[in-house]
DNA sequence: GATGAATGAGTTTTCATTCAT
DNA sequence: AATGAATGAAAACTCATTCAT
């Protein structure tokens, strides 16, 4: 009788997509369950068949976000080719991802603002640690290829990640005042110049 | 008839301090006017003698925050001494400011997350633009002193600001995983190496 | 999936009835939404599913009131029979309506007292104008029947309407001091005597 | 030291005047003690030195209103001259009083709307009774002068008072739709025609 | 499974009243 | 007497969550 073979997981994903769309447009706090329901074309009560609470949706949205982001990073890092090429590709991918859907990118502000218990306490520590680990892999490869000096400082992955995040942050907050792509490019170039062999 | 020893501005500042303290501890959204009142040791109604609404408090808190931060930056930039020393001092000051009161630093997450109308939509664009302008001044001085090459890329201030913000962001989100001070130091050194003359 | 037997319009009407009952007993201004909810046997929030605001309820109550009243007047005016009979019937109906439920009749005091914006400022002008128009029809008929002189003054409908309202007003304010029914009868007789042909 | 010799009663009267002015402009319910204080050029606390509560002010305003109104009526009734002249003068005075200051006249709506205890329960019964008594005196005089028939119905004073109030009510509610002065004149003429001797 | 009417705890905001100065 | 800062009870309104159908 059901037109599409919607199984539980698919439907959950559909609702989550709707939620993310609304969060992106209006922000998490102003968004009502009713808004999500409307966007997802289901009744309010249905939401509670797939999520235990409003916060649960936010947690799930974050999870989804982080997974996709890390997945993309991992794919680039583990691709073939010179390490520096992959590094540049990584930075470009982050910037493109953000600039393609600024509203979506702004969701991280909401994630960051979540505090204390209530949510499954959005686990940024794990995400960023993994992100840095992947960058470290890239830097090791680059060192092995002789593209950067062999003794890059331990903090370098944090620096690189911070650089990209910091540039994107400024762009998100003031798209007219900061050109994300050139700034990210400049950032990477300067950093790599500082890491140059010899 | 008696002017009452309580100065209106002072009292407003006291309440604002209380509010900021609570925002820092619990986050902006979860904070109730009642909480602020309790912290400020006044009755709920008193708050409304000094602020027109809950949002007005957030706006004022942000104003205060931005003013203090920019004021500090400006003082350092306009101090005497070699430009590079001042640059390092600036970075150190930002890091120290954040690490001294992490909870306070986290407030910016709340500011960022605020959307749409209600507040006069916190003007981050202006703040960051001014921040970058001051860093640009520092870079000009450094170039004049021959401490960096004369043709630093236009995006460099944004990169430098992003660097500090990005490193602090990671530290705020995972204090155990990122050492703010060394990471910031490393970051600055690498960038300056990349900007070295010749 | 189930349409639920509760009809939305019916429920709205039920709540409105409850509201009118409470307004009649306590007056509009002293009445709290909670009181209306209790009287209607629903929760506070339910009220807001059927009315957008407290003022909206007042407006609806007035609407209902005016509709019923005008409907009754119209029915009598458009009935068959000698014009004077209908006029007397009209006056009697107004008086009976008021005396049957004095508390309900007093509600108009609240309506009159409502000022400024908030409500769409209850449109008494329209109501009374229509009321006068209907009375004018009656007078025309009476003139055609030769029951009153052919040149009744233009203001007569206003005078007739005012008569009934003024008598009822005094009775509402002092039921013991003024007998509504005889006073209205006397009033009509005297006026009609003044309007007699010749 | 006080510039004007303001004694307690004078000041009370000043505040009351201010209150009435504000009530007339904005209506009783929307008016805040603060508004009255501002209008009276005193501090909020001062109001409470002359009135025990907000409702007390309304009661006093009503008292004042009723006293002035009845005083005017009494003066006209007890003046010299033919009874019918005095009757016409009375009606004219009521109409002129209302039309001169419509806003002020609308205050009675607020008075009427007051319910139950809380206020000193505005005593309209007494006021209207006295009003009717004075009109009755006029009618007796007129009968004695042969200007109306000797057996005017007992309800006539109530009818006359109602007529004037009813006409003014319609005018207050719709100044554009009802001409107070002509309508009142017509009302009196018709009534007197109905009461004519023979 | 799905719905959406109903609920009521929770929040912001207002404002009459008090009282220290 | 006068002031006006402070109070906190009260009220309107919101919205996450439940549950009968």
């Amino acid at each position: 009788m059901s037109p599409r073979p919607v199984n539980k997981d698919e439907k959950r994903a559909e609702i989550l997509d709707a939620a993310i769309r609304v969060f992106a447009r209006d922000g998490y706090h102003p968004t009502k369950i009713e808004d999500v329901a409307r966007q997802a074309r289901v009744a309010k009560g249905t939401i509670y068949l797939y999520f235990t609470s409003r916060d649960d949706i936010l947690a799930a949205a974050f999870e989804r976000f982080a997974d996709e982001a890390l997945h993309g990073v991992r794919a680039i890092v583990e691709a073939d080719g010179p390490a520096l090429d992959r590094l540049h590709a990584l930075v470009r991918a982050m910037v493109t991802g953000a600039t393609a859907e600024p509203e979506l990118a702004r969701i991280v502000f909401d994630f960051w603002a979540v505090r204390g218990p209530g949510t499954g306490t959005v686990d940024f520590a794990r995400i960023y640690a993994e992100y840095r680990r992947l960058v470290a892999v890239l830097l090791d490869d680059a060192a092995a290829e002789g593209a950067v000096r062999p003794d890059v400082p331990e903090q370098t992955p944090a620096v690189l990640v911070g650089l990209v995040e910091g540039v994107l942050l400024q762009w998100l907050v003031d798209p007219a005042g900061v050109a994300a792509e050139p700034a990210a490019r400049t950032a990477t170039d300067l950093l790599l110049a500082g890491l140059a062999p010899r």
Side-chain angles (χ1 to χ4, degrees), chain A residues 54-75:
Chain A
R54 190 171 172 277
D55 275 356
D56 187 31
I57 300 181
L58 185 71
F62 169 73
E63 213 66 43
R64 163 95 146 236
F65 221 79
D67 281 354
E68 284 185 8
L70 279 185
H71 191 267
V73 174
R74 207 171 284 124

Side-chain angles (χ1 to χ4, degrees), chain A residues 101-179:
Chain A
E101 299 195 81
E103 290 311 313
L104 212 52
R106 298 193 92 224
I107 285 191
V108 293
F109 290 160
D110 290 311
F111 292 149
W112 284 338
V114 171
R115 282 281 208 316
T119 317
T121 312
V122 156
D123 191 2
F124 277 104
R126 185 179 59 79
I127 309 296
Y128 276 107
E130 172 67 359
Y131 189 180
R132 287 192 297 267
R133 195 188 62 75
L134 289 164
V135 170
V137 167
L138 227 40
L139 287 171
D140 281 350
D141 288 358
E145 296 169 10
V148 299
R149 59 186 211 237
D151 58 337
V152 302
E154 178 197 356
Q155 319 289 352
T156 312
V159 170
L160 216 157
V161 168
L163 220 33
V164 175
E165 297 283 296
V167 163
L168 285 178
L169 171 62
Q170 285 174 82
W171 169 79
L172 277 172
V173 137
D174 177 17
V178 176

Side-chain angles (χ1 to χ4, degrees), chain A residues 11 39 41 55 63 85-86 107 120 128 145-146 181:
Chain A
K11 184 120 184 195
Q39 177 77 256
R41 312 290 207 124
D55 275 356
E63 213 66 43
D85 285 1
R86 283 179 281 149
I107 285 191
Y128 276 107
E145 296 169 10
E181 158 66 33

